[in-house]
């Protein structure tokens, strides 16, 4: 009889008291954000105009390993955390693998993903600063949904710029945002200067994430009492998401389990950065070793085929420059079905760790991802998000390798969310209409050619 239960739950009072900041233990720190105008590191004062003050402090903090989680945020976390760490006994049996597979499930809240962990923190600091509201962009809508929930909890106004095609084609998440009182504007819109400019140049455009970011930033900087918030990529978001990894480690420690392999999908890097945080900390301090694998779509391969360079975070080229693995801010990935993994760049912290050899990365094709998603859904009972299913794919592949070698490795992966709003993608998969687009070297080169020149 195995002693480890199907679900390892932590008690409410075992919820982490502080977030863990990996940068404090990194010998080579991630490169600073640069001001695109001056080419010099962004100062706190410059960032304060766009972001909340406390979040700017967190963004720039590379010295404090632990940052206390305010009680108000912990109280909100208690509504849906600690989240379960599940031993995938049924999947193991189905695969016939000696590997031991665990997954940390973050889909157990209305936003359906891990994004709420940072949304609630960002809304809290905005409220504490006495702001009226926040602005943001959303593509498929997971981040907008999480943020609107967080804002309604703290009584903040929430203005979401949603990529127009998604706004029109994906009404469900849009309406969830409105349930929580957010105003949702299809982008590009005529409510901003940049939006009007884009509409004049490209009438009838369906919009893009980069354009929605530019609109949200403009509204935040032009309206007193508003700031802009972002749901991934930034250091502060990885910091908040460390709650995932800290809980995972606490649950495993209860049973004396040490993972061999830790796997997460990577869009901007926030769930992966959060999941691996305490494990990476041990690795950085030389206390333990783990194999860490980032999984990205073959259609948007920032780590595996990108360049480690300074680049813009948005297509409008108004945001600060970040040094990261990037495909270039002009790169527009083919419309695959993992909306949350379509960002051209990657967290600068994870980029530095990858560059220094602390983690590896693989890219996977879309149909293989949906095959894994369905295999998982049929035995583990959870309908996974397409993004999360990238991690499932590689977890299954690693477990199958163990089957060949007879090794009983312990594999942990992040199951970031549920896929109920992604049924059109599943439909395409079922009907054999899903394609696996992989950009050519020439297409990627076009993106690299337009990288900003930074000395
Ligand atoms: C947004 C999203 C992701 C990717 O974002 P990261 O910042 O890389 O974590 C992954 N899974 C789900 C369900 C998402 O909504």
């Amino acid at each position: 009889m195995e002693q480890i239960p199907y679900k390892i739950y932590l008690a409410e009072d075992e919820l982490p008291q502080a977030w863990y900041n990996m940068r404090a233990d990194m010998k080579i720190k991630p490169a600073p954000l640069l001001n695109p105008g001056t080419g010099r590191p962004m100062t706190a004062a410059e960032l304060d105009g766009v972001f909340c003050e406390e979040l700017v402090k967190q963004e720039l903090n590379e010295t404090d390993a632990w940052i206390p989680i305010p009680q108000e945020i912990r109280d909100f976390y208690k509504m849906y955390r600690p989240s379960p760490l599940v031993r995938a006994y049924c999947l193991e049996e189905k695969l016939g693998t000696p590997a031991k597979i665990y997954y940390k499930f973050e889909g157990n809240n209305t936003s359906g993903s891990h994004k709420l962990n940072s949304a609630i923190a960002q809304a809290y600091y905005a409220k504490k600063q006495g702001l009226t509201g926040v602005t943001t962009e959303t593509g498929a809508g997971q981040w907008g949904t999480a943020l609107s929930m967080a804002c309604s909890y703290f009584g903040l106004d929430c203005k979401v710029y949603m990529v127009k095609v998604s706004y029109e084609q994906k009404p469900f998440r849009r309406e969830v945002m409105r349930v929580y009182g957010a105003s949702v504007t299809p982008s590009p819109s005529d409510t901003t200067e940049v939006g009007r400019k884009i509409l004049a140049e490209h009438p009838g455009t369906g919009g893009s994430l980069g354009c929605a970011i530019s609109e949200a930033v403009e509204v935040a900087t032009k309206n007193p009492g508003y700031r802009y918030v972002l749901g991934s990529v930034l250091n502060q978001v990885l910091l908040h998401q460390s709650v995932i990894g800290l809980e995972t480690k606490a649950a495993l420690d209860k049973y004396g389990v040490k993972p061999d392999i830790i796997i997460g999908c990577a869009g901007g890097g926030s769930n992966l950065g959060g999941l691996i945080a305490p494990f990476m900390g041990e690795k950085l301090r030389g206390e333990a070793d783990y194999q860490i694998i980032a999984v990205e779509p073959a259609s948007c391969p920032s780590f595996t085929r990108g360049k480690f360079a300074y680049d813009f975070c948005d297509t409008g080229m108004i945001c600060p420059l970040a040094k990261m693995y990037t495909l270039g801010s002009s790169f527009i990935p083919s419309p695959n079905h993992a909306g949350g993994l379509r960002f051209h760049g990657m967290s600068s912290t994870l980029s530095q760790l990858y560059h220094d050899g602390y983690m590896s990365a693989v890219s996977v094709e879309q149909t293989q991802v949906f095959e894994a998603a369905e295999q998982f859904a049929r035995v583990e009972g959870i309908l996974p998000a397409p993004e999360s299913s990238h991690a499932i794919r590689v977890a299954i592949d690693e477990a199958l390798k163990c089957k060949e070698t007879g090794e009983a490795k312990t594999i942990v992966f992040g199951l970031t969310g549920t896929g109920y709003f992604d049924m059109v993608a599943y439909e395409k998969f079922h009907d054999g209409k899903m394609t696996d687009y992989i950009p050519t070297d020439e297409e990627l080169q076009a993106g690299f050619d337009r990288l900003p020149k930074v000395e």
Side-chain angles (χ1 to χ4, degrees):
M1 268 282 288
E2 284 272 359
Q3 288 188 346
I4 295 167
Y6 275 72
K7 287 199 181 79
I8 308 178
Y9 281 109
L10 297 175
E12 221 167 81
D13 61 4
E14 291 174 289
L15 218 146
Q17 305 273 352
W19 291 301
Y20 169 63
N21 179 13
M22 278 187 288
R23 286 169 292 158
D25 285 314
M26 288 170 70
K27 284 188 196 75
I28 305 175
K29 309 287 184 198
L33 292 171
L34 297 185
N35 180 321
T38 64
R40 305 189 65 82
M42 292 288 289
T43 61
E46 287 168 330
L47 289 167
D48 281 346
V50 183
F51 299 109
C52 306
E53 281 162 27
E54 195 60 35
L55 293 168
V56 168
K57 283 189 198 144
Q58 293 180 357
E59 193 61 31
L60 301 177
N61 187 334
E62 333 189 294
T63 45
D64 297 315
W66 297 96
I67 294 178
I69 307 176
Q71 190 58 44
E72 290 88 339
I73 298 174
R74 292 187 82 232
D75 287 345
F76 185 89
Y77 278 168
K78 283 176 193 166
M79 284 193 271
Y80 69 102
R81 310 200 68 84
S83 69
L85 180 72
V86 185
R87 172 76 186 266
Y89 282 120
C90 302
L91 180 63
E92 289 169 19
E93 198 186 310
K94 179 84 184 177
L95 297 174
T97 175
K100 300 177 176 67
I101 309 173
Y102 296 82
Y103 58 89
K104 179 72 166 164
F105 182 47
E106 291 291 321
N108 207 2
N109 67 78
T110 294
S111 83
S113 82
H114 65 287
K115 292 199 171 71
L116 193 55
N117 300 332
S118 183
I120 195 64
Q122 298 195 41
Y124 167 78
Y125 291 116
K127 185 69 184 177
K128 206 171 142 224
Q129 193 177 328
L131 298 176
T132 312
V134 292
T135 71
T136 200
E137 77 294 331
T138 200
Q142 292 101 316
W143 167 244
T145 308
L147 188 68
S148 49
M149 289 175 73
C151 285
S152 79
Y153 182 76
F154 284 121
L156 281 169
D157 184 35
C158 179
K159 296 187 194 301
V160 181
Y161 283 82
M162 186 169 187
V163 177
K164 192 184 268 170
V165 276
S166 299
Y167 181 93
E168 285 162 0
Q169 291 172 6
K170 299 182 180 172
F172 299 119
R173 284 211 181 87
R174 178 186 84 205
E175 290 314 313
V176 178
M177 287 182 246
R178 293 173 67 192
V179 165
Y180 287 94
S183 71
V184 188
T185 307
S187 167
S189 74
D190 59 9
T191 66
T192 64
E193 240 171 67
V194 61
R196 286 190 291 272
K197 190 167 160 249
I198 292 168
L199 280 175
E201 283 169 18
H202 310 277
T205 174
S208 72
L209 210 49
C211 160
I213 294 178
S214 306
E215 287 204 278
V217 171
E218 180 183 324
V219 173
T221 48
K222 284 192 175 163
N223 288 284
Y226 283 79
R227 291 292 186 280
Y228 167 71
V229 293
L230 185 62
S232 183
V233 186
L234 296 176
N235 294 323
Q236 53 187 279
V237 185
L238 268 72
L239 175 73
H240 306 145
Q241 295 296 356
S242 69
V243 70
I244 303 173
L246 293 165
E247 285 182 11
T248 301
K249 186 146 194 318
L252 290 172
D253 284 349
K254 271 195 174 184
Y255 291 89
V257 177
K258 184 182 171 292
D260 297 297
I261 309 177
I262 305 168
I263 301 166
C265 63
S270 74
N271 87 83
L272 177 65
L275 175 66
I276 66 174
F279 303 99
M280 185 58 86
E282 290 188 338
K283 210 168 152 148
L284 287 164
R285 296 188 302 270
E287 297 163 7
D289 199 15
Y290 305 96
Q291 185 186 351
I292 293 169
I293 309 176
V295 190
E296 57 188 15
S299 59
C300 191
S302 335
F303 269 137
T304 50
R305 295 175 69 199
K307 288 248 186 306
F308 190 38
Y310 267 107
D311 192 13
F312 288 96
C313 293
D314 61 323
T315 337
M317 303 190 179
I318 55 172
C319 293
L321 296 165
K323 188 170 181 195
M324 57 188 173
Y325 277 86
T326 179
L327 299 168
S329 63
S330 62
F331 177 79
I332 311 272
S334 75
N336 73 45
H337 293 288
L341 304 183
R342 297 187 63 221
F343 186 60
H344 64 274
M346 186 57 64
S347 141
S348 60
T349 300
L350 292 189
S351 293
Q352 191 64 52
L353 290 167
Y354 177 71
H355 191 69
D356 294 339
Y358 285 98
M359 54 187 273
S360 60
V362 293
S363 72
V364 289
E365 288 167 29
Q366 193 165 229
T367 49
Q368 310 269 304
V369 166
F370 277 80
E371 256 167 44
E374 213 152 77
Q375 207 173 351
F376 179 85
R378 289 179 187 179
V379 289
E380 289 292 323
I382 295 172
L383 179 75
E387 292 88 351
S388 324
S389 306
H390 287 67
I392 299 177
R393 172 75 268 164
V394 173
I396 289 179
D397 290 346
E398 289 296 327
L400 291 175
K401 279 187 210 162
C402 288
K403 188 176 174 176
E404 276 176 26
T405 61
E407 284 174 290
K409 287 188 182 170
T410 296
I411 299 170
V412 175
F413 73 89
L415 188 69
T416 50
T418 47
Y420 304 122
F421 292 144
D422 301 290
M423 297 326 290
V424 172
Y426 276 93
E427 181 186 31
K428 288 228 168 78
F429 175 65
H430 294 147
D431 293 346
K433 289 180 181 151
M434 186 169 273
T435 52
D436 288 324
Y437 187 76
I438 302 175
T440 63
D441 288 342
E442 289 69 35
E443 280 168 304
L444 293 186
Q445 192 57 46
F448 301 146
D449 287 343
R450 293 174 68 183
L451 284 171
K453 305 275 175 289
V454 177
E455 296 314 311

